[in-house]
Amino acid sequence: MGTSVRSRFFFLILVFLCVSFFVSAENRRPKNVQVALRAKWSGTPLLLEDRELLSKEWKDFFWDFIESWIHSRNEDSDSNTARDCLKRISKYGKSLLGEPLASIFEFSLTLRSASPRLVLYRQLAEESLSSFPLVDDVISNTIDGGVSESNENTKTKSSEAFLLGMNPKSPGNRCCWVDTGGSLFFEVTELQMWLQNTNEGKDGAFQQPEIFEFDHVHPDSTTGSSTAILYGALGTECFKEFHVVLSEAATKGKVKYVVRSVLPSGCESKSSSCGTIGIGEPLNLGGYGVELALKNMEYKAMDDSTIKKGVTLEDPHTEDLSQEVRGFIFSQILERKPELTSEVMAFRDYLLSSTVSDTLDVWELKDLGHQTAQRIVHASDPLQSMQEINQNFPSVVSSLSRMKLNDSIKDEIIENQRMIPPGKSLMALNGALINIEDIDLYLLVDMVHQELSLAEQYRKLKIPPSNVRKILSALPPSESHAFRVDFRSPHVHYINNLEVDDMYKRWRSNLNEILMPVFPGQLRYIRKNLFHAVYVLDPASRCGLETIDTIISLFENNLPMRFGVILYSTKLVEKIEANDGELPGAHLKDDRGEDISSLIIQLFIYIKDNHGTLTAFQFLSNVNKLIIESDADDSLEMHHVEGAFVETLLPSAKSPPQDTLLRLQKEQTLNELSLESSMFVFKLGMAKLECSLLMNGLVHEPNEEALINAMNDELPRIQEQVYYGHISSRTDVLDKFLSESGVQRYNPKIIADGKAKPKFVSLCAPVLAKESVLNDLYYLHSPETMDDLKPVTHLLAVDITSKKGVKLLREGIHYLIGGSKIARIGVLFNAKEGATVPSLVFMKVFEVTVSSYSHKKGVLKFLDQLCSFYEQEYISASGVAESYQALIDKVYQLADANGLPSKGYESTISGFSAENLRSYLKKVTQFLYRTVGLDCGVNAVITNGRVIRLFDGVTFLSDDLHLLESLEFKQRIKHIAEFIEDIKWDGVDPDMLTSKFISDVVMAISSSSSMRDRSSEGARFEILSAEYSAVILHNEDSSIHIDAVIDPLSASGQKLSALLRFLSKYVQPSMRLVLNPVSSLVDLPLKNYYRYVVPTMDDFSGTDRTVNGPKAFFANMPLSKTLTMNLDVPEPWLVQPVVAIHDLDNILLENLGDTRTLQAVYELEALVLTGHCAEKDHEPPRGLQLILGTKNTPHLVDTLVMANLGYWQMKVFPGVWYLQLAPGRSSELYVMKEDGEGTQDTALLKRITIDDLRGKLVHMEVIKKKGMEREKLLVPADDDGHSTNKKGIQSSWNSNILKWASGIIGGKDQSKKGESSSLETGSGRHGKKINIFSVASGHLYERFLKIMILSVLKNTHRPVKFWFIKNYLSPQFKDVIPHMADQYGFEYELITYKWPTWLHKQKEKQRIIWAYKILFLDVIFPLALEKVIFVDADQIVRADMGELYDMDLRGRPLAYTPFCDNNKDMDGYRFWKQGFWKDHLRGRPYHISALYVVDLVKFRETAAGDQLRVFYETLSKDPNSLSNLDQASNYAQHMVPIFSLPQEWLWCESWCGNVTKPKAKTIDLCNNPMTKEPKLQGAKRIVAEWPDLDLEARGVTAKILGENIEPQEQADTLQMQSPNENSSEDDESKAEL
């Protein structure tokens, strides 16, 4: 009874509160904020995106979906809304997939993650059409426009189409076409005629169109056929017609049929109902965060202009009313009193908007992190609770701080923080760590999809579910597997021996000394050969001879190391390569005189044998000395060698050295030793590195720095072995190391150096497919190992009609004869179509041998002998032998000789059918093409999914197979094989569990897991306690497990909580989340509201056909707090606001008036392509210029390479792009190094495919062209002026580079009033153009910026061009500035640069803007720009800027004005006059960065930008450094000198006295740290002309936007004029600070 009375009493109070608040709250209705982000390209059809997503799962699904959709189009009429169509489209896709893959697939569809791939197809479609201009199109253009468009116009439009991902127009009202490389077909009848002709004789007149890895090739297509690419869209009638014809032709082997999905604009009406969903409106994206930060308003920097118009939009979202707000749960209240809904909601809104805290007392803050952890852990839905706390933190912090804390939670958190730093966040997906900074929704979806897809395949392999997650979570062993090259041979020539030579007698021989501590850098002099530095070099190469001098120098300086060389001739090795790994014999004798390297080797061996090793090394050094002395462009000639030989032997010679030389040149023994030495290097594989160092067998660069590093790396290994007694004074260290882990051959293609990523393919699907080639394949094994498990599988793709193919097959057989206990070989014959009958017979015999007799002892010998005979008689023989009787006879003979039944072969050969074998070969070539990507006739090795193609000129030996086996087993296969061996195969037929089955499973799993793009690093999360302070979600059935350590009150915690909720909803993984908040807070950890945008099904309209797309929605935001909006986007995205009525820097919601929701729309302006450019053995090639475009239009964007990590970036859109060096000095000096498997060392183009929203990181290497090694890329200008430099630029740089003004990184924002730097403009301005640069953010600073522009134009008589950083400009400013430019006759350009990931990033928006003023000056402007002046937005110019522009900076890259010091009241704030800064500056002035001049030519030449970034990176990591970022340039003055401008060039009231004001050429509205006076107030008081300029600027703006200035605003401005105009000196003195 008492409870009931209390309940009623409570409701009476509540009703009273609600009614009383309702009246007041009506006037302060809560406001919302809504944010959307759209792509720059137009929407893409959802139906086509569906197919692209399905093809990621399995290529054939793409074609399955086409067939099922084409045959069910009659259902289309039922789908009237966007949501109906989405459900129907996803239903077809989901029918091909199992759960939970189907859920991820459906989510990816709503995320629109396949849209960039369709934009890429648009680019290719545009290129296809532009290759064959339609006659109809030209006619229609001429009729419509009167005149056909000029070439230049067409090019510009085409470039824009490529860059913006624009949809191609329907050509002649047709929606589909077929591109065959030679012609385009728009009619099916034309295509059918072409197909008939193709059948009769191949259309080889034209080049086949290029096919890319992402292309969809019909599964029945044959590799050698003509290519036909269908451009069109599923859902159109023409697509269906073309598809039927082409799929039939592909099945018959007539064409290679490819589909590229495009729905040209104008074809929407011809597509099916659901085929157009997604294309009518802009593409709204998800997968980013939006922050509304509480702004620090210490200096009142807000515009007082009123907002003229707004967009009213009521809240479309439903709010979660079940969450407690200040002790009330409103869902329960509304259930009981629904009639008071409006009053209760008004009360709730009031509570929400009045609970914002941006400060707390210290004692309230202390345990805030622990209290948050407690609230999360005890919530019914911990993930939702965590998200609501950290995304609305300012509104919930008060209630959190009042919560009673449970000590057990606090104690556990503190205990865990002994092992992990407080506030540190980590996350791992199935054991592999994820980079918290880089992770975004797109990357996470891809990673989860990969895991789920693999889990599905592994279950199909009969692996028990309990083991699937274990396998997925298995990480490769972390210890490095250093492979040592076993170079032990008589061909090593040592210059010294520490254990024997007299010069080392005084050194100690106690090996334990190596364990004694020494000072850093100090060497240990022990008389033991512990370090063997053996150099492999060509003594005739520049690198080789320089290395010899290094060796002699180090030897003479007593470095405790044994030095040696192995010499070879590059020419000879090339001939051996060309001769398939064999000495060319007689051919060599003819060339002996020309091969200088071989001659030097012979002479070296002679001198060593007759005069000692030291003299032999001196001979090599003398060769180098003579080259340098002769100054003969570095090329070695015969007379240098002869001269060095004579000079070396003359002092001790008994007979004339010249005679000895003539005799030795004919000496056969020395010649043979020289050949053997080169042959040895060839077999080692070291010749490919040109010049290299082997440190105890480990491969390194041959320079001195690499030698010391190699020695320091090797030292701990030796120390460990000595400590454990494995190395004693009697141990031969080299023998020990090389015997344990030595390989007989080094192959850079196999041991990838990290730059070229190995290619992997998954063999899981072929193993699972019933009729797969792999399931019919029989394997060869080493003798007596047939029944053993073979974790390593080498598949040899062999073209048996080529000598190289037979050579590969024989090497494979030799490899097995040599013995391998863990590997097997399968042979796939990849013969060309025209294989002769003897070749077919050979293949049949081989197949029968492997399938029937592989267990026999003599089988390998039989096959080796058969291959040898077949090669001699049918490959090497000059005539093509069609008769195969000799081969059959040889088979019988060899079979008998090797213990194989010849009768078995007789029955096989008698029933031999060439046609059957040809059809099987066709099946093999299709498998290799579709699964591995190998064309017909290509030789390759596929080791557990790793593909190594063998190009012409590349030799592959049996030792390479041993190397592959060893490397792949240790790095990828061993840990998986161990898992598989431990599996208990419940429910699997024991007869199935053969060694072949287990080997197939290991091959399938190791190949498919290598396809994953994930970290190999893990963390031991299990050591952290998780009883009280962790969130644990169990799901034993899930194949995904998440381990995480999260600080919920951190920026990363805000993003992670949203991502974890997404995972929980769609994947239901098991999770173990350990909460790790900072234990003792001294300030609020979060001062912002945050929303992470995740799409849902609700984004698709249920009433019409619109796709609204996801949006960030902030409900009930605080009215009286100033907020600033920031976007937290994936790293490669470059975004800018395009729709925003209000100032997004200074959002004050109480000023919204009747508008309930403030709206902002951002645009994904571009994706950022970033890269690192390296030059071997040199610093990055700073200043190297790169251009990017398509094959037809190679120059669309451009950039230059920084010295910092060789970094560069460019703006791109989805498409196929080609990167190359810019014409001019860059391409004259350098060439790009090939990083793939190709035979070429260099490449002119580098293809880059952008087909997702994750951008791309490109690693590239350049090398100097021959003869250009000593040339410098940047030629310094004279310090006394630019005249000579400019002339140099004009002559040596391609003239195109000077037209780069709008392409550089900043994109294609057109420079108004033309691109030229003409001496005269339409506004009557004359002379050389002045370039002025500024930054602004927020409406107030944009208002200042317009005033600054007017003040410059009114005082400057020359043409002016303004450069603005567009990242932070409002849409209104970008709308107004083109009209201002036209009205006032100035040019402008908008530029931008994405903050590099490696550079320490600022968190506050204002500090980021400051950084843009200083850090990217060398790369943000076009290369043609020579000088620019930075002018702060809040500055008023009173002088002609031409005077400053022309000022002589005396060779300095920068010119700043020093801070004035005549306002003595500010002395306490002049930090540079005392302490650290005073000592650091050493009398140099401290400059203000509100106005400065940059000589960009000098700035780039001196790498000033790189140096400033280095200083910034060093200083900015300390939170107490760089309180203002202009400190960076002042700090760096000793490296980047500053020219001090005369004081009158910048006056500012805060620091300068009013006495100097009349002379001021510019006035800056500096913040005053004493008074903190608002900017506007100060502007109107300090600058007499400011109100006039302000009124003019606002008048222009109002006129452009079609608005009127309010009378009150005019009155305010005029009122401020009079006191300023009549102000006396006394008034100014009073105002002086």
Side-chain angles (χ1 to χ4, degrees), residues 964-1009:
L964 250 181
E965 174 198 304
S966 183
L967 181 83
E968 296 302 314
F969 182 68
K970 286 179 181 174
Q971 290 187 353
R972 288 195 303 129
I973 303 166
K974 185 181 178 185
H975 63 288
I976 289 170
E978 287 167 355
F979 269 112
I980 302 300
E981 283 189 271
D982 292 341
I983 287 177
K984 292 177 180 173
W985 300 87
D986 298 328
V988 179
D989 182 355
D991 292 341
M992 274 183 65
L993 296 175
T994 60
S995 60
K996 181 184 186 302
F997 171 79
I998 306 289
S999 299
D1000 284 351
V1001 168
V1002 174
M1003 175 177 72
I1005 291 176
S1006 58
S1007 65
S1008 57
S1009 62

Side-chain angles (χ1 to χ4, degrees), residues 409-446:
I409 288 180
K410 182 176 179 178
D411 293 345
E412 185 172 89
I413 290 172
I414 292 169
E415 181 67 29
N416 283 338
Q417 287 174 350
R418 291 180 181 178
M419 289 168 277
I420 189 163
K424 173 85 173 172
S425 291
L426 289 173
M427 181 171 160
L429 174 67
N430 280 348
L433 281 177
I434 292 171
N435 187 332
I436 299 281
E437 300 300 318
D438 292 348
I439 191 66
D440 59 64
L441 189 57
Y442 296 91
L443 183 57
L444 188 63
V445 167
D446 277 358

Side-chain angles (χ1 to χ4, degrees), residues 44-45 48-49 51-53 55-56 62-63 114-129 161-162 165-168 177 210-217 229-233 258-264 1213-1216 1249-1251:
T44 49
L48 305 186
E49 290 177 29
R51 289 190 306 171
E52 296 300 323
L53 288 170
S55 69
K56 278 172 71 177
F62 180 89
W63 302 97
S115 180
R117 174 68 67 84
L118 298 181
V119 176
L120 177 148
Y121 289 141
R122 285 177 179 175
Q123 183 213 51
L124 297 177
E126 188 74 54
E127 282 195 336
S128 168
L129 291 172
F162 288 143
M166 288 164 70
N167 206 8
W177 68 94
E210 190 172 4
I211 296 179
F212 304 102
E213 282 187 3
F214 53 77
D215 270 320
H216 306 291
V217 182
I229 301 176
L230 171 57
Y231 290 94
V258 178
V259 166
R260 289 180 184 161
S261 305
V262 177
L263 182 64
F1213 275 94
V1216 178
T1249 303
I1250 306 287
D1251 62 351

